[in-house]
Amino acid sequence: MKREESKSKPCKVICVRIRSSEALFEQNKVRCVRQSRLAMLKWNSSARLFSCASFGKLWGNLVYEEGSAMSDQLSPEAAEHRRPEHEVDTQFLNRWSPRAYLPKEVPADVLGSLLEAARWAPSSGNGQPWRYVVARTLEDRERVLSFVNPSNAEWCAQAPVLVVVFAHQVQANGNPNRWGGFDAGTSWGYLALAASQLGLSAHAMGGFDKDKALEALGVPGDGSFEAMAVIALGYRGPKEQLTERNREREKPSTRRAFEESFFEGRFGTGLKV
Ligand SMILES: Cc1cc2nc3c(=O)[nH]c(=O)nc-3n(C[C@H](O)[C@H](O)[C@H](O)COP(=O)(O)O)c2cc1C
């Protein structure tokens, strides 16, 4: 099945279980998920399975369950807690920032895919001021945890991957880059959405010691890089593993009213669309 063909037959992902080299789907309810490797699958309707040589190689043992972000449906928890005021793609509502992670490795190709999404963010003058330090080994993660605030470390220590995102605050011509943080934020947003689309969780944290981060991770000492956030990344775990306070917070957040964020013409006049 070519990508173009699969695009012309959109339908809902009900269940996708990928075991090394093949994927089993419920017939007629499979769609090609935008920009995902599912487009590379070949449908064998009599056997009710997709052969996926390249897919298996790329994605290993990923398991997507019904209702995961791979679905184009609103997840039950997003439906319970989030009320959009306008029509919006469900991927934006399904993404949120959980704190409970499974001690399950993130395959290298999945990690590469998430970071690839971050790489294609727009930036001022295409300066791409973001830099990411990825901590996957115990040693590297402990180094990151050494500068994360205890209130964050208590839950993010479980995450199999910790990522520190930096912004280069100096442009190529030597002038200050006042959009560095803005652009790094856009890049992290791409990563977060890509993670959610692939059934992973990503949770950004500003609660860490920025100076210690620069020192611990060997960032050039010329002051041109600023540590913006630490990101916990991985597969979601049961909320029972969290402390009571975090367990209560383990749900999608809401948003202020549309008109309080978007204005018409001048600041403060709620936009009505
Ligand atoms: C730059 C940034 C810093 C954040 N810092 C923390 C933090 O230190 N600890 C934490 O638990 N969550 C932190 N968060 C997560 C936010 O609280 C969360 O994104 C927000 O409440 C919206 O919820 P949602 O991501 O689930 O939609 C941070 C998020 C961002 C983008």
Side-chain angles (χ1 to χ4, degrees), residues 82 95-99 151-152 155 188 202-208 228-229 249 251-255:
R82 298 190 149 172
R95 183 220 60 82
W96 61 284
S97 304
R99 291 183 174 82
S151 60
N152 284 326
W155 58 266
W188 132 255
H203 191 139
M205 290 163 270
F208 68 97
M228 304 304 300
R249 297 198 287 173
K251 58 187 176 207
S253 54
T254 57
R255 292 294 182 267

Side-chain angles (χ1 to χ4, degrees), residues 77 94-102 106 114 159-161 188 191-192 194-204 231-237 250:
E77 56 198 1
N94 287 339
R95 183 220 60 82
W96 61 284
S97 304
R99 291 183 174 82
Y101 289 85
L102 291 176
V106 177
L114 305 177
V161 183
W188 132 255
L191 187 159
S196 173
Q197 285 179 340
L198 293 171
L200 282 85
S201 301
H203 191 139
I231 301 162
L233 193 61
Y235 295 94
R236 201 163 145 208
E250 193 72 343

